[in-house]
Amino acid sequence: GINAPTSQSLLNYILLALVYGGILLYRRQPLTTKWYYYLILGIIDVEANYIVVKSYQYTSLTSVMLLDCWSIPCVIVLTWIFLKTKYGFRKFFGVGVCVAGLILVVFSDVHASDRAKGPKPLKGDLLVIVGSMLYACSNVTEEYLVKKNNRIELMAMLGIFGAVISGIQISILEREELHSIKWNAGAVFPFIGFALAMFLFYSTVPTVLKICGATMLNLSLLTSDMWAVLIRIFAYHEKVDWMYFVAFACTAGGLLVYSYRSSKEADDTAQVTGASDEQSRVGDEESGIQNQVRSSFAGGNDDQVSYKELPSNGSPSKN
């Protein structure tokens, strides 16, 4: 009976700001990305969380979980345009199968009337789809930032701006709702549990994005659907329409098709990863050598540098 979507996410952003912001201050490193990029990311992420949590008031738990797969085609389009990620026919086919499952979920929510599905299932489903699009924008932006910068800075700045934006939004939209809540154990513990779960999730996402990318992250998150069905059956004692199982089969099939790799593709990926790691290591070594050279010349005297004449062209060379 508590309607405070933004308030649910506020504690998560505060935890991110305190933990990772503290690490960032301890390291005393300057920001590698302009602050307003993190502001934009914070707005997108806060509104994505708000819309998806809001949708639970109108549609069923399982619908929300399955409709999240709409973020997958959105991620593919965004990574293809902005990150220049290449996709083959098999991957597009796998995504198409996942989307087919999404269509089945929407159709099931509209036509089924013999089970608890929320007061306005179609509105709830549309909210989830919009939220999934925002999640896709957030994931792709995070993938770009985490591969360009570091995870600590990303989480710290997302937490700071997310907390500020959430605080402003709560003061406008949810102030009266918070006053009306009876803050007993039944209200406090779910807030804390949700915040801790989201904090652990947010802390893990940048690592997954750096290793696998935004598309594979969203595909892997579809495995949460099986938990949603079990929770709905055993915890809430609700009926599950048969189309959900067909939709889940489509989603699982699409995930398998997308994630399948031939041996040649696996070898190519390993070679690219190895080359990237080697290039990063060489770049770090070169940067360290350059810093040592600058320090030696900055702290040394001119008379410590000797010259000799080359007989070929008479140009001096330093020893």
Side-chain angles (χ1 to χ4, degrees), residues 139-151:
N139 291 157
V140 174
T141 305
E142 287 184 34
E143 178 182 352
Y144 172 78
L145 291 173
V146 80
K147 289 182 176 179
K148 181 181 178 182
N149 307 316
N150 63 78
R151 182 174 72 97

Side-chain angles (χ1 to χ4, degrees), residues 145-303:
L145 291 173
V146 80
K147 289 182 176 179
K148 181 181 178 182
N149 307 316
N150 63 78
R151 182 174 72 97
I152 303 300
E153 177 180 314
L154 172 61
M155 290 292 95
M157 300 306 293
L158 178 59
I160 292 171
F161 285 112
V164 172
I165 295 166
S166 297
I168 296 173
Q169 186 161 306
I170 289 170
S171 65
I172 298 173
L173 300 178
E174 300 178 7
R175 184 171 52 190
E176 294 181 0
E177 179 68 23
L178 291 178
H179 283 304
S180 63
I181 296 176
K182 296 181 179 179
W183 292 103
N184 51 29
V188 173
F189 285 131
F191 265 92
I192 297 175
F194 181 83
L196 292 176
M198 291 293 288
F199 173 75
L200 294 174
F201 175 74
Y202 271 65
S203 299
T204 310
V205 162
T207 303
V208 179
L209 288 174
K210 196 167 187 177
I211 297 173
C212 305
T215 305
M216 197 60 198
L217 167 69
N218 284 271
L219 284 169
S220 300
L221 290 176
L222 296 179
T223 56
S224 61
D225 297 340
M226 66 182 71
W227 298 109
V229 173
L230 293 176
I231 291 171
R232 184 169 179 178
I233 294 173
F234 295 105
Y236 294 112
H237 306 290
E238 295 179 359
K239 293 181 179 180
V240 178
D241 193 79
W242 64 270
M243 280 192 178
Y244 277 121
F245 299 101
V246 178
F248 180 74
C250 288
T251 302
L255 177 60
L256 291 174
V257 171
Y258 181 92
S259 60
Y260 173 77
R261 284 184 179 180
S262 63
S263 59
K264 182 178 182 299
E265 289 176 327
D267 292 340
D268 292 343
T269 302
Q271 291 174 4
V272 171
T273 303
S276 177
D277 293 342
E278 179 66 19
Q279 185 178 8
S280 177
R281 183 184 65 81
V282 172
D284 292 341
E285 291 178 354
E286 290 178 351
S287 177
I289 293 173
Q290 290 173 0
N291 290 336
Q292 291 177 1
V293 171
R294 292 192 189 99
S295 299
S296 63
F297 275 102
N301 298 323
D302 292 338
D303 57 359

Side-chain angles (χ1 to χ4, degrees), residues 36-220:
Y36 46 81
Y37 289 114
Y38 292 115
L39 173 62
I40 297 173
L41 175 62
I43 294 173
I44 295 174
D45 198 73
V46 168
E47 300 311 319
N49 285 326
Y50 173 80
I51 291 174
V52 171
V53 175
K54 189 77 174 176
S55 67
Y56 281 95
Q57 300 175 30
Y58 304 108
T59 190
S60 63
L61 169 67
T62 320
S63 293
V64 175
M65 301 300 291
L66 285 175
L67 285 171
D68 275 347
C69 73
W70 178 248
S71 62
I72 296 169
C74 298
V75 165
I76 287 180
V77 172
L78 292 173
T79 52
W80 178 62
I81 294 175
F82 296 105
L83 302 183
K84 309 302 180 185
T85 305
K86 295 181 180 180
Y87 298 96
F89 172 77
R90 185 179 65 251
K91 294 187 181 297
F92 281 115
F93 179 75
V95 172
V97 176
C98 290
V99 174
L102 177 148
I103 295 172
L104 284 175
V105 173
V106 177
F107 180 74
S108 174
D109 267 347
V110 171
H111 97 282
S113 58
D114 58 341
R115 58 185 177 84
K117 60 181 184 297
K120 298 179 181 179
L122 185 58
K123 180 179 180 179
D125 292 347
L126 291 175
L127 284 175
V128 179
I129 292 174
V130 173
S132 298
M133 294 171 66
L134 292 177
Y135 274 138
C137 295
S138 176
N139 291 157
V140 174
T141 305
E142 287 184 34
E143 178 182 352
Y144 172 78
L145 291 173
V146 80
K147 289 182 176 179
K148 181 181 178 182
N149 307 316
N150 63 78
R151 182 174 72 97
I152 303 300
E153 177 180 314
L154 172 61
M155 290 292 95
M157 300 306 293
L158 178 59
I160 292 171
F161 285 112
V164 172
I165 295 166
S166 297
I168 296 173
Q169 186 161 306
I170 289 170
S171 65
I172 298 173
L173 300 178
E174 300 178 7
R175 184 171 52 190
E176 294 181 0
E177 179 68 23
L178 291 178
H179 283 304
S180 63
I181 296 176
K182 296 181 179 179
W183 292 103
N184 51 29
V188 173
F189 285 131
F191 265 92
I192 297 175
F194 181 83
L196 292 176
M198 291 293 288
F199 173 75
L200 294 174
F201 175 74
Y202 271 65
S203 299
T204 310
V205 162
T207 303
V208 179
L209 288 174
K210 196 167 187 177
I211 297 173
C212 305
T215 305
M216 197 60 198
L217 167 69
N218 284 271
L219 284 169
S220 300

Side-chain angles (χ1 to χ4, degrees), residues 20-30 150-153:
Y20 293 103
I23 297 174
L24 197 64
L25 289 174
Y26 175 77
R27 293 180 177 180
R28 296 183 179 180
Q29 294 177 342
N150 63 78
R151 182 174 72 97
I152 303 300
E153 177 180 314

